[in-house]
Amino acid sequence: APELTNVRSFLDIGTGVGLLAVAAARVWPDAKIVGIDIWPPSLKLAETSVREAGLQDRITIRTQDVAALEDVEQYDCVWFPTFFFNRTQFEAAMPRAFRALQPGGWLVLGRFVAGADPLAAATSALRLVRGGGVAYDVHELLSAVEQIGCANARVLPRQGPAPLEYVIAQRP
């Protein structure tokens, strides 16, 4: 998206093994990246991914629950993978993600999109629920970003075969 061309500070919520943080550092060569997660085994792997990529000077990995995030106006882009969060967690985390954004910064919500095949869609939904997440409706996400105070919310056109869709919204 053209709005995300010049990211200088990126928060990777649910960084897992850190591959998105590493990819973000490569896409935005001037950006400082912070990856947060709560699961120690993945955080250990994330630190290894960052070290192997030689990006320790630009990527920080933290043990951090987004619902307890204290960062204020630190990032011009925040990645929020909604599929990792149940409704209670999502509602607690959204205001924290918003507060972490700099004015003018962009919140990017990722959601799984089920395929047209009913069996594939049901399997995808089951996988999300078993993992503790929710298959959020796009209208639900658009409403959620507006409720926390974001503007300019829109759905990005899908690209490629991945079953993902992105909602972006800006902190005024």
Side-chain angles (χ1 to χ4, degrees):
E3 300 90 341
L4 306 176
T5 303
N6 296 313
V7 171
R8 301 260 187 218
S9 52
F10 179 75
L11 176 63
D12 177 13
I13 296 171
T15 197
V17 299
L19 296 180
L20 180 63
V22 169
R26 291 181 176 144
V27 168
W28 300 302
D30 296 324
K32 293 290 185 177
I33 315 292
V34 173
I36 64 172
D37 209 306
I38 60 171
W39 198 46
S42 66
L43 288 162
K44 189 172 185 174
L45 291 170
E47 290 170 357
T48 300
S49 297
V50 170
R51 187 173 50 257
E52 287 176 355
L55 294 167
Q56 308 91 306
D57 60 327
R58 296 191 32 232
I59 300 174
T60 302
I61 301 296
R62 297 191 325 221
T63 302
Q64 174 78 66
D65 186 336
V66 67
L69 186 66
E70 296 294 329
D71 298 4
V72 177
E73 297 183 1
Q74 294 293 312
Y75 309 99
D76 55 17
C77 187
V78 172
W79 161 247
F80 194 123
T82 64
F83 37 83
F84 291 146
F85 297 87
N86 66 36
R87 292 188 190 289
T88 301
Q89 294 166 331
F90 178 76
E91 290 171 8
M94 283 290 286
R96 299 293 183 136
F98 177 80
R99 189 174 68 186
L101 277 171
Q102 297 171 357
W106 290 91
L107 179 60
V108 179
L109 304 178
R111 74 176 201 101
F112 278 122
V113 178
D117 175 25
L119 180 58
T123 304
S124 178
L126 177 60
R127 193 174 303 125
L128 283 175
V129 170
R130 286 188 64 203
V134 172
Y136 292 96
D137 177 84
V138 69
H139 301 291
E140 191 176 9
L141 297 180
L142 288 167
S143 176
V145 294
E146 289 172 6
Q147 287 176 9
I148 60 170
C150 285
N152 302 318
R154 68 184 182 95
V155 180
L156 294 179
R158 287 191 57 201
Q159 296 180 11
L164 294 174
E165 184 170 67
Y166 306 98
V167 171
I168 66 170
Q170 188 174 35
R171 180 176 179 166

